[in-house]
Amino acid sequence: DGRPLILDAQPNAKIVDCHSVISVYYSESMKAKSIENGSFLLSEKSSGTLVTTSLANSQQPTWLMGNRLLIIEPQQPLLPSTTYQLTAAVGPVDLDGLAYDPGTSPVIIEFTTAATVEGIPPEILASYPLNASTNQPNDSQSVVVFSKQIDVTTISIAVDLSNQTTSVPGDYDTNAGAEARHSGDRVFSFEHQSDDSDLNATLQLDVNTFIADTSLLHQFMVNPYTNIWQSMDMQRPKSI
């Protein structure tokens, strides 16, 4: 019926760091101001106790990728060894005014936190565009969602975006400047530089284990990460 869909939400069905954020990825651009506190509710599964997130108290939610990717931040570290659920309500709306509708299955994701609040190495919870996706705009941001705050100085040496079709570097800025850092340095967005490059290409994101967190232990990511997607054979229309 033309309504927007949620294509992905993370973390889901896994054990995660108590400092994790939540990512919700829509099928199309949404009206950022249509999101409200009741659009998504994060709660403890056993007790139903609600968790205050960045959607409450007039906090400005983080939208990325042309308002397709929503980042929801718990305002305090989550409790250890606790199962949480994220429940969706009707809304927000897309650019045509059509609302997301969860139907009869409002629980979007369920996950359990680690047994300790500290001492867990960082990991990647999600990245966008989605792995193995096709027909992605060539000028789309590439976004990586980490499980905890990351040492910004390790980003540029650990993140590589490449064009596998032409075997050259992808046209992305991976310097992790202030505009690329979100949610307390747990989410990073890498801007595509030119509308004319990386058309009809297989693009690949690689993140190696030089990624480190900001804890006193300065722990490094254990496993390398790869994500691959296909860009469209057309660029954004240009004005005359």
Side-chain angles (χ1 to χ4, degrees), residues 84-154:
Y84 290 89
Q85 292 182 326
L86 183 72
T87 303
V90 175
V93 301
D94 64 15
L95 300 183
D96 294 322
L98 296 175
Y100 168 76
D101 187 351
T104 59
S105 301
V107 176
I108 302 301
I109 57 173
E110 180 177 304
F111 61 91
T112 301
T113 49
T116 58
V117 175
E118 305 295 343
I120 308 298
E123 64 173 328
I124 293 177
L125 299 179
S127 68
Y128 305 93
L130 292 171
N131 188 54
S133 59
T134 59
N135 295 321
Q136 297 299 318
N138 74 304
D139 61 348
S140 173
Q141 291 175 325
S142 176
V143 176
V144 182
V145 181
F146 290 95
S147 59
K148 61 192 307 185
Q149 185 177 20
I150 297 300
D151 180 351
V152 176
T153 64
T154 66

Coordinates of all heavy atoms in Angstrom, one line a residue, residues 84-154:
Y84 N 15.9 -7.1 26.6 CA 15.2 -5.9 26.2 C 14.4 -6.1 24.9 O 14.8 -6.9 24.0 CB 16.1 -4.7 26.0 CG 16.7 -4.2 27.3 CD1 17.9 -4.7 27.8 CD2 16.1 -3.2 28.0 CE1 18.5 -4.2 28.9 CE2 16.6 -2.7 29.2 CZ 17.8 -3.2 29.7 OH 18.4 -2.8 30.8
Q85 N 13.3 -5.4 24.8 CA 12.5 -5.4 23.5 C 12.3 -4.0 23.1 O 12.1 -3.0 23.9 CB 11.1 -6.1 23.7 CG 11.2 -7.5 24.0 CD 9.8 -8.2 24.1 OE1 8.9 -7.5 24.6 NE2 9.7 -9.4 23.7
L86 N 12.3 -3.8 21.8 CA 11.9 -2.5 21.1 C 10.6 -2.7 20.4 O 10.5 -3.5 19.6 CB 13.0 -2.0 20.1 CG 12.7 -0.7 19.5 CD1 12.9 0.5 20.5 CD2 13.6 -0.4 18.3
T87 N 9.6 -1.9 20.9 CA 8.3 -2.0 20.3 C 8.0 -0.8 19.5 O 8.3 0.4 19.9 CB 7.2 -2.1 21.5 OG1 7.6 -3.3 22.3 CG2 5.8 -2.3 20.9
A88 N 7.3 -1.0 18.3 CA 7.0 0.2 17.5 C 5.5 0.4 17.5 O 4.7 -0.5 17.6 CB 7.4 -0.2 16.0
A89 N 5.2 1.7 17.4 CA 3.8 2.1 17.2 C 3.6 2.7 15.8 O 4.6 2.7 15.0 CB 3.5 3.2 18.2
V90 N 2.4 3.0 15.4 CA 2.2 3.6 14.1 C 2.9 4.9 14.0 O 2.8 5.8 14.9 CB 0.7 3.8 13.8 CG1 0.4 4.5 12.5 CG2 -0.1 2.4 13.9
G91 N 3.6 5.1 12.9 CA 4.4 6.3 12.7 C 5.9 6.0 12.9 O 6.2 4.9 13.4
P92 N 6.8 6.9 12.5 CA 6.6 8.2 11.8 C 6.1 8.0 10.4 O 5.8 6.9 10.0 CB 8.0 8.8 11.9 CG 8.9 7.6 11.9 CD 8.2 6.6 12.6
V93 N 6.1 9.1 9.6 CA 5.5 9.1 8.3 C 6.6 9.4 7.3 O 7.7 10.0 7.6 CB 4.4 10.2 8.1 CG1 3.3 9.9 9.1 CG2 4.9 11.6 8.3
D94 N 6.4 8.9 6.0 CA 7.3 9.2 4.9 C 7.0 10.5 4.3 O 6.2 11.3 4.8 CB 7.3 8.0 3.9 CG 5.9 7.9 3.2 OD1 5.1 8.9 3.3 OD2 5.7 6.9 2.6
L95 N 7.7 10.9 3.2 CA 7.6 12.2 2.6 C 6.2 12.4 2.0 O 5.9 13.5 1.7 CB 8.7 12.4 1.6 CG 10.2 12.3 2.2 CD1 11.2 12.6 1.1 CD2 10.4 13.2 3.4
D96 N 5.5 11.3 1.8 CA 4.1 11.4 1.2 C 3.1 11.5 2.3 O 1.9 11.5 2.0 CB 3.9 10.2 0.3 CG 4.7 10.3 -1.0 OD1 5.0 11.4 -1.5 OD2 5.2 9.2 -1.4
G97 N 3.5 11.4 3.6 CA 2.6 11.4 4.7 C 2.1 10.1 5.1 O 1.2 10.0 5.9
L98 N 2.6 9.0 4.5 CA 2.1 7.7 4.9 C 2.9 7.2 6.1 O 4.1 7.3 6.1 CB 2.3 6.7 3.7 CG 1.5 7.0 2.4 CD1 1.9 6.0 1.3 CD2 0.0 6.9 2.7
A99 N 2.2 6.6 7.0 CA 2.8 6.2 8.3 C 3.3 4.8 8.3 O 2.6 3.9 7.7 CB 1.8 6.4 9.4
Y100 N 4.4 4.5 9.0 CA 4.8 3.1 9.2 C 3.8 2.5 10.1 O 3.3 3.1 11.1 CB 6.2 3.1 9.9 CG 6.5 1.7 10.4 CD1 6.9 0.7 9.5 CD2 6.4 1.4 11.8 CE1 7.2 -0.6 10.0 CE2 6.7 0.2 12.3 CZ 7.1 -0.8 11.4 OH 7.3 -2.1 11.8
D101 N 3.4 1.2 9.8 CA 2.4 0.5 10.6 C 3.0 -0.9 10.9 O 3.2 -1.7 10.1 CB 1.1 0.3 9.8 CG 0.0 -0.3 10.6 OD1 0.3 -0.7 11.8 OD2 -1.1 -0.3 10.1
P102 N 3.2 -1.1 12.2 CA 3.8 -2.4 12.6 C 2.8 -3.6 12.5 O 3.2 -4.7 12.7 CB 4.2 -2.2 14.1 CG 3.3 -1.2 14.6 CD 3.0 -0.3 13.4
G103 N 1.5 -3.3 12.3 CA 0.5 -4.4 12.2 C 0.4 -5.1 13.6 O 0.3 -4.5 14.6
T104 N 0.3 -6.4 13.5 CA 0.0 -7.2 14.7 C 1.3 -7.7 15.4 O 1.2 -8.4 16.4 CB -0.8 -8.4 14.3 OG1 -0.1 -9.2 13.3 CG2 -2.2 -8.0 13.7
S105 N 2.5 -7.2 14.9 CA 3.7 -7.7 15.5 C 4.6 -6.4 15.8 O 5.5 -6.1 15.1 CB 4.5 -8.6 14.5 OG 3.8 -9.7 14.2
P106 N 4.2 -5.7 16.9 CA 4.9 -4.5 17.2 C 6.3 -4.6 17.7 O 7.0 -3.6 17.8 CB 4.0 -3.8 18.2 CG 3.3 -5.0 18.9 CD 3.1 -6.0 17.8
V107 N 6.7 -5.8 18.2 CA 8.0 -6.0 18.7 C 9.0 -6.1 17.6 O 8.9 -7.0 16.8 CB 8.1 -7.2 19.6 CG1 9.6 -7.4 20.1 CG2 7.2 -7.1 20.9
I108 N 9.9 -5.1 17.4 CA 10.8 -5.0 16.3 C 12.0 -5.9 16.5 O 12.5 -6.6 15.7 CB 11.1 -3.6 16.0 CG1 9.9 -2.7 15.8 CG2 12.1 -3.5 14.8 CD1 9.1 -3.2 14.6
I109 N 12.6 -5.7 17.7 CA 13.8 -6.5 18.0 C 13.8 -6.9 19.5 O 13.1 -6.3 20.3 CB 15.1 -5.7 17.8 CG1 15.1 -4.3 18.6 CG2 15.4 -5.4 16.3 CD1 16.4 -3.6 18.5
E110 N 14.6 -7.9 19.8 CA 14.8 -8.4 21.2 C 16.3 -8.7 21.3 O 16.8 -9.4 20.5 CB 13.9 -9.6 21.5 CG 14.1 -10.1 22.9 CD 13.1 -11.3 23.2 OE1 11.9 -11.1 23.0 OE2 13.6 -12.4 23.5
F111 N 16.9 -8.3 22.4 CA 18.3 -8.6 22.6 C 18.6 -8.6 24.1 O 17.8 -8.2 24.9 CB 19.2 -7.5 21.9 CG 19.0 -6.1 22.5 CD1 19.8 -5.6 23.5 CD2 18.1 -5.3 21.9 CE1 19.6 -4.4 24.0 CE2 17.9 -4.0 22.3 CZ 18.6 -3.5 23.4
T112 N 19.7 -9.3 24.4 CA 20.1 -9.4 25.8 C 21.5 -8.7 26.0 O 22.4 -8.9 25.2 CB 20.2 -10.9 26.2 OG1 18.9 -11.5 26.0 CG2 20.6 -11.1 27.7
T113 N 21.7 -8.1 27.1 CA 22.9 -7.4 27.4 C 23.9 -8.4 28.1 O 23.6 -9.4 28.6 CB 22.7 -6.2 28.4 OG1 21.9 -6.6 29.5 CG2 22.0 -5.1 27.7
A114 N 25.2 -8.0 27.9 CA 26.3 -8.8 28.5 C 26.2 -8.8 30.0 O 25.5 -8.0 30.7 CB 27.6 -8.2 28.1
A115 N 26.9 -9.7 30.6 CA 26.9 -9.9 32.1 C 27.6 -8.8 32.9 O 27.3 -8.6 34.1 CB 27.5 -11.3 32.5
T116 N 28.4 -8.0 32.2 CA 29.1 -6.9 32.9 C 29.0 -5.7 32.1 O 28.8 -5.7 30.8 CB 30.6 -7.2 33.1 OG1 31.2 -7.5 31.8 CG2 30.8 -8.4 33.9
V117 N 29.0 -4.5 32.8 CA 28.8 -3.2 32.1 C 30.1 -2.8 31.4 O 30.0 -2.2 30.3 CB 28.4 -2.1 33.1 CG1 28.3 -0.8 32.4 CG2 27.0 -2.5 33.7
E118 N 31.2 -3.1 31.9 CA 32.5 -2.8 31.4 C 33.3 -4.0 31.0 O 33.0 -5.1 31.4 CB 33.3 -1.9 32.4 CG 32.6 -0.7 32.8 CD 32.3 0.3 31.8 OE1 32.9 0.3 30.7 OE2 31.4 1.2 32.0
G119 N 34.3 -3.8 30.2 CA 35.3 -4.8 29.9 C 35.0 -5.7 28.6 O 35.6 -6.7 28.4
I120 N 34.0 -5.2 27.9 CA 33.6 -6.0 26.6 C 34.3 -5.3 25.4 O 34.1 -4.1 25.3 CB 32.1 -6.0 26.4 CG1 31.4 -6.5 27.7 CG2 31.7 -6.8 25.2 CD1 31.7 -7.9 28.1
P121 N 35.0 -6.0 24.6 CA 35.6 -5.4 23.4 C 34.6 -4.8 22.5 O 33.4 -5.3 22.4 CB 36.4 -6.5 22.8 CG 36.6 -7.5 23.8 CD 35.4 -7.4 24.7
P122 N 34.9 -3.8 21.7 CA 33.9 -3.2 20.8 C 33.6 -4.2 19.6 O 34.5 -5.0 19.3 CB 34.6 -1.9 20.3 CG 36.1 -2.2 20.4 CD 36.2 -3.1 21.7
E123 N 32.4 -4.0 19.1 CA 32.0 -4.8 17.9 C 31.1 -3.9 17.1 O 30.6 -2.9 17.5 CB 31.3 -6.1 18.3 CG 30.0 -5.9 19.0 CD 29.3 -7.2 19.2 OE1 29.4 -8.1 18.4 OE2 28.6 -7.3 20.2
I124 N 30.9 -4.3 15.9 CA 30.0 -3.7 15.0 C 28.7 -4.3 15.1 O 28.5 -5.5 14.8 CB 30.5 -3.7 13.5 CG1 31.8 -2.8 13.4 CG2 29.5 -3.2 12.5 CD1 32.5 -2.9 12.0
L125 N 27.7 -3.5 15.4 CA 26.3 -4.0 15.5 C 25.6 -4.0 14.2 O 24.7 -4.9 13.9 CB 25.5 -3.1 16.5 CG 26.0 -3.1 17.9 CD1 25.1 -2.2 18.8 CD2 26.1 -4.5 18.6
A126 N 25.9 -3.1 13.3 CA 25.2 -3.0 12.0 C 26.0 -2.0 11.1 O 26.8 -1.2 11.6 CB 23.8 -2.5 12.2
S127 N 25.8 -2.1 9.8 CA 26.3 -1.1 8.9 C 25.3 -1.0 7.7 O 24.5 -1.9 7.5 CB 27.7 -1.5 8.4 OG 27.6 -2.6 7.5
Y128 N 25.3 0.2 7.1 CA 24.4 0.5 6.1 C 25.1 1.3 4.9 O 26.0 2.0 5.2 CB 23.2 1.4 6.6 CG 22.5 0.7 7.8 CD1 23.0 1.0 9.1 CD2 21.5 -0.2 7.6 CE1 22.4 0.3 10.2 CE2 20.9 -0.9 8.7 CZ 21.3 -0.6 10.0 OH 20.8 -1.2 11.1
P129 N 24.6 1.0 3.7 CA 23.6 0.1 3.2 C 23.8 -1.3 3.6 O 24.8 -1.7 4.0 CB 23.7 0.3 1.7 CG 24.4 1.5 1.4 CD 25.3 1.7 2.5
L130 N 22.7 -2.0 3.6 CA 22.7 -3.4 4.0 C 23.5 -4.3 3.2 O 23.7 -4.1 2.0 CB 21.2 -4.0 4.1 CG 20.3 -3.4 5.1 CD1 18.9 -3.8 4.8 CD2 20.8 -3.7 6.5
N131 N 24.1 -5.3 3.8 CA 24.9 -6.3 3.1 C 24.1 -7.0 2.0 O 23.0 -7.3 2.2 CB 25.5 -7.3 4.0 CG 26.5 -8.2 3.3 OD1 27.5 -7.8 2.8 ND2 26.3 -9.5 3.5
A132 N 24.7 -7.1 0.8 CA 24.1 -7.8 -0.4 C 22.9 -7.0 -1.0 O 22.2 -7.5 -1.8 CB 23.7 -9.2 0.0
S133 N 22.7 -5.8 -0.5 CA 21.6 -5.0 -1.1 C 22.0 -4.5 -2.5 O 23.2 -4.3 -2.8 CB 21.2 -3.8 -0.2 OG 22.4 -2.9 0.0
T134 N 21.0 -4.2 -3.3 CA 21.3 -3.7 -4.7 C 20.5 -2.4 -4.9 O 19.7 -2.0 -4.1 CB 20.8 -4.7 -5.7 OG1 19.4 -5.0 -5.5 CG2 21.6 -6.0 -5.6
N135 N 20.8 -1.7 -6.0 CA 20.2 -0.5 -6.4 C 20.2 0.6 -5.4 O 19.3 1.3 -5.1 CB 18.7 -0.8 -6.8 CG 18.5 -1.7 -8.0 OD1 19.3 -1.5 -9.0 ND2 17.6 -2.6 -7.9
Q136 N 21.4 0.7 -4.7 CA 21.6 1.7 -3.8 C 22.1 3.0 -4.5 O 22.9 2.9 -5.4 CB 22.7 1.3 -2.7 CG 22.2 0.1 -1.9 CD 21.0 0.4 -1.1 OE1 20.8 1.4 -0.5 NE2 20.1 -0.6 -1.1
P137 N 21.7 4.2 -4.0 CA 22.2 5.4 -4.6 C 23.7 5.5 -4.5 O 24.3 5.1 -3.4 CB 21.5 6.5 -3.8 CG 20.3 5.9 -3.2 CD 20.7 4.4 -3.0
N138 N 24.4 5.8 -5.5 CA 25.9 5.8 -5.5 C 26.4 6.9 -4.5 O 27.5 6.8 -4.0 CB 26.5 6.1 -6.8 CG 26.3 7.5 -7.3 OD1 25.2 8.0 -7.4 ND2 27.4 8.2 -7.7
D139 N 25.6 7.9 -4.2 CA 26.1 9.0 -3.3 C 25.6 8.8 -1.9 O 25.6 9.7 -1.0 CB 25.6 10.3 -3.8 CG 24.1 10.5 -3.9 OD1 23.4 9.4 -3.8 OD2 23.6 11.6 -4.1
S140 N 25.1 7.6 -1.5 CA 24.6 7.3 -0.2 C 25.8 7.3 0.8 O 26.9 6.9 0.5 CB 23.9 6.0 -0.1 OG 23.6 5.6 1.2
Q141 N 25.5 7.8 2.0 CA 26.5 7.6 3.1 C 26.7 6.1 3.4 O 25.8 5.3 3.1 CB 25.9 8.3 4.4 CG 25.8 9.8 4.4 CD 25.2 10.2 5.7 OE1 24.3 9.6 6.3 NE2 25.6 11.3 6.3
S142 N 27.8 5.8 3.9 CA 28.0 4.5 4.5 C 28.1 4.7 6.0 O 28.8 5.6 6.5 CB 29.4 3.9 4.0 OG 29.6 2.7 4.7
V143 N 27.3 4.0 6.8 CA 27.2 4.2 8.2 C 27.6 2.9 8.9 O 27.1 1.8 8.6 CB 25.8 4.7 8.6 CG1 25.7 4.8 10.1 CG2 25.4 6.0 7.9
V144 N 28.4 3.1 10.0 CA 28.8 2.0 10.8 C 28.3 2.2 12.3 O 28.6 3.3 12.8 CB 30.3 1.7 10.8 CG1 30.7 0.5 11.7 CG2 30.8 1.5 9.4
V145 N 27.6 1.3 12.9 CA 27.1 1.4 14.2 C 27.9 0.4 15.1 O 27.9 -0.8 14.9 CB 25.6 1.0 14.3 CG1 25.1 1.2 15.7 CG2 24.8 1.9 13.3
F146 N 28.6 1.0 16.1 CA 29.4 0.3 17.0 C 28.7 0.0 18.3 O 27.7 0.7 18.7 CB 30.8 1.0 17.3 CG 31.7 1.0 16.2 CD1 31.8 2.1 15.3 CD2 32.6 -0.1 15.9 CE1 32.6 2.1 14.2 CE2 33.5 0.0 14.8 CZ 33.5 1.1 14.0
S147 N 29.2 -0.9 19.1 CA 28.5 -1.3 20.4 C 28.9 -0.4 21.5 O 28.2 -0.5 22.6 CB 28.9 -2.7 20.7 OG 30.4 -2.8 20.9
K148 N 29.9 0.5 21.4 CA 30.3 1.4 22.5 C 31.1 2.5 21.9 O 31.4 2.6 20.7 CB 31.1 0.6 23.5 CG 32.4 0.0 22.9 CD 33.1 -1.0 23.8 CE 33.3 -0.5 25.2 NZ 34.1 -1.5 26.0
Q149 N 31.5 3.5 22.7 CA 32.3 4.6 22.2 C 33.6 4.2 21.7 O 34.3 3.4 22.3 CB 32.5 5.6 23.4 CG 33.2 6.9 23.0 CD 33.3 7.9 24.1 OE1 33.2 7.5 25.3 NE2 33.5 9.1 23.8
I150 N 34.0 4.7 20.5 CA 35.2 4.3 19.8 C 36.2 5.4 19.9 O 35.9 6.6 19.8 CB 34.9 3.9 18.4 CG1 33.9 2.7 18.3 CG2 36.1 3.7 17.6 CD1 34.4 1.5 19.0
D151 N 37.5 5.1 20.0 CA 38.6 6.0 19.9 C 38.6 6.5 18.4 O 38.9 5.8 17.5 CB 39.9 5.3 20.3 CG 41.1 6.2 20.2 OD1 41.0 7.4 19.7 OD2 42.2 5.8 20.6
V152 N 38.3 7.8 18.3 CA 38.2 8.4 16.9 C 39.5 8.3 16.1 O 39.4 8.1 14.9 CB 37.7 9.8 17.0 CG1 37.7 10.5 15.7 CG2 36.4 10.0 17.7
T153 N 40.6 8.3 16.8 CA 41.9 8.2 16.1 C 42.1 6.9 15.4 O 43.0 6.8 14.5 CB 43.0 8.5 17.0 OG1 43.1 7.5 18.0 CG2 42.8 9.9 17.7
T154 N 41.3 5.9 15.7 CA 41.5 4.6 15.1 C 40.6 4.4 13.9 O 40.8 3.4 13.2 CB 41.2 3.4 16.1 OG1 39.8 3.4 16.5 CG2 42.1 3.6 17.4

